[in-house]
Amino acid sequence: MQKIIILDFGSQTTQLIGRRVRELDTFCEILPYNKFPHDDPSVIGVILSGSPFSVYDDSAFHPDLTGIIGRYPVLGICYGAQLMVQYGGGRVEPAGLREYGRANLAWMETDNTLFSKFTNDSQVWMSHGDTIVELPKSFRKIASTASVEYAAYQVEGQRIWGVQFHPEVFHTVQGTQLLRNFVVDVCGSRQDWSSASFVEQTTRELKKQIGNDRVILGLSGGVDSSVAAVLLNRAIGRQLTCIFVDHGMLRKNEFRDVMHDYECLGLNVIGVDASRKFFADLAGVSDPEQKRKIIGRDFVEVFNEQAMKIEDARWLAQGTIYPDRIESLNITGKTIKSHHNVGGLPADMHLQLCEPLRWLFKDEVRRVGRQLGMPEHLITRHPFPGPGLAVRILGDITPAKVKILQEADDIYIRALRDYKVKLKGDEARRVLAAGVPADMHDGEIAVSLYDQIWQAGAILLSTVRSVGVMGDERTYEHPVALRAVTSTDAMTADWAQLPYDFMARVSNDIINKVKGVNRVCYDISSKPPATIEWE
C-alpha cells in the first residue's frame, strides 16, 4: 500500500496533517522525526511537521535528511521548511514579532505545481516565532506575504517545497488543495485508501492473524470498542467473546440500551453488573486520581475474573486507535496521555494483543462503522470517560449522587439530539464531508446540536451547595455545570456556543425535573488551559 510519511517534530497540528492526508484517500503514517523507514518501498512522499522549537536551539530536533532529500518528494511545513533551509546552508532567525494568525499571500508563483488550481482567495494561517531570512542558492522563492518574504519556496530542479504557513488548518482556505497538489499530483497517490478497502483488507488480515483461536474484547459502549467488535465479528464470528462491565457510573439506562444494541448486532457479549463492588470501594474517596485508580483496578479485577472463564482464549482485542498510539510517542520527553485501554491481565493468560483499528483516526473509525452497517446512534456517540460519571461528580461518589447526575445528563443529551440547527453553503458542505448524517436541500441542511459537538456532558458540583427558591420555600441544593466542546481530535477544544433559547430550556428542565439541583451553569473554558473533563 502506498503511504506518505509524516515526520513529527512535536507540533500540536501534526495529527491534523495526517487527517488531511487521509481525507485525500491516501494512507499516511506519523513517525518520530528520527524514525524514518528507509527500507520501506511503499513510501511515496514525506512531510516534515512544525515544532515548538527553533531550528537553531540546542534542544531542537535535527535528523539526518541525506536519505530523504533527493530520494522522495518532500513538503516542509513551518519548522520543517526552516529545517531544510538550515540544512541547505540558508539562514533562519527570530522574527521581530511573533507571526500568528491570518495572512494573505501577496504574491505567488501561480504556475508552480504546489499552487495548481488555486483561486484568488490566498488566505493562510501563520504560527511561528522565527522566519527565513536567506534561502540557499538552489532554493527559489515562490510565495510571499506582506510581512514574510519567503512564505514558500521550491528547490530548483527537485520535488522539494517548504511553506512557512500551515496548510493543514481550517483557516488556510486552500490548504487542502495545496496538500492535494503535493500528495496526488507530485507524489502520485492512487487514492485507494477508503473505509471499504480498510474493512476488506483488515477482515482478511484478522482471519489470517487469528486463525481458529478465541478472542476476548473489553467493550465500553463507545465508538472505538464497538466498531472493533463488529469488525472482528465479521472476520471470526463466534470465536469472539466480548465483556461489558457496568461499574454503576454509566449514563442513564446505558448498560441496558447498549447491551440491546450489541444483541441486535449479533455480538457474543457477557454483561457484568459490578456496580456494588465499585461503589463500595469508592466510598468516602474524593481525590480525582484516587477515584480513577480504584475504578481502573476494579475494572481489571472484574474483567480478569470473566476472562479466565473463557477457555482457550489466545488474544485480547482492544479498540486502540491511531491517536492513542501517536500520543504515546515521547519525542519531547513529556507524557502527553497515558494509555486508556484495558491492561494488567495476568501473565499466565498468555494473551496476544489484537488492535484492528490501530491505524485509524476517530472520524475514520466512524466511517468504518457506517461501512459495517452499524446504527447511527452508536457511530456518532460522543467520547465518554472510562471512569464514567465518577469524574463528573466533584467529591466522593454515592449511588444517590450518580442518580442525580444521570437524570440531569439525560435531559441535556436528549435536548442536544432534538435541537436542530440549519446550515448552508460551505459550512453545510464541511459538515456533510465529516460524515454527519443530513440531507441537503437547496444548499441547506438541518443538523442536531449533538452531531455538531465533539463531546458534551453534565457535571455535578456535589461539594458545593447554592441557595435557591422553589415556590414559597428556600432550597439549599447542588449546582450542575454543563459542558460542550467542539474539536477534531480532543488535543485542543473550544467551548461550543449553544443557542440561548436551548440553554434556557435545558436549565429550566433540569431544575424543575431533577430533585437535588437548583442551579445550572455553563462552562465556557477552552482546552488549553482547561481540560474537557473537570477531573
Side-chain angles (χ1 to χ4, degrees), residues 304-431:
N304 288 348
E305 182 181 350
Q306 296 299 320
M308 295 293 285
K309 297 176 184 178
I310 302 171
E311 298 180 359
D312 302 325
R314 294 289 180 267
W315 298 86
L316 171 68
Q318 295 187 153
T320 309
I321 64 175
Y322 200 34
D324 299 329
R325 301 167 61 218
I326 297 170
E327 288 170 355
S328 298
L329 298 178
N330 200 14
I331 67 170
T332 63
K334 297 178 181 178
T335 300
I336 300 173
K337 180 179 178 183
S338 56
H339 207 272
H340 70 280
N341 284 308
V342 178
L345 293 176
D348 58 5
M349 291 184 71
H350 303 296
L351 295 179
Q352 301 177 72
L353 194 59
C354 176
E355 299 174 312
L357 308 181
R358 64 191 181 278
W359 292 111
L360 301 186
F361 289 99
K362 177 72 77 172
D363 53 341
E364 292 176 313
V365 174
R366 290 192 168 104
R367 292 192 189 103
V368 167
R370 292 187 179 98
Q371 184 69 32
L372 292 167
M374 294 175 61
E376 197 64 33
H377 69 271
L378 267 182
I379 296 169
T380 59
R381 286 195 64 188
H382 289 174
F384 190 64
L389 299 180
V391 293
R392 293 182 180 175
I393 297 174
L394 274 60
D396 65 326
I397 308 299
T398 67
K401 291 179 182 179
V402 171
K403 176 69 173 175
I404 292 172
L405 186 54
Q406 284 177 330
E407 295 297 333
D409 181 83
D410 186 61
I411 291 171
Y412 182 35
I413 297 301
R414 286 179 182 274
L416 286 170
R417 289 188 182 277
D418 291 342
Y419 193 100
K420 303 296 182 182
V421 178
K422 291 184 178 180
L423 304 174
K424 60 175 59 176
D426 290 341
E427 192 173 14
R429 284 186 283 274
R430 281 195 297 272
V431 169

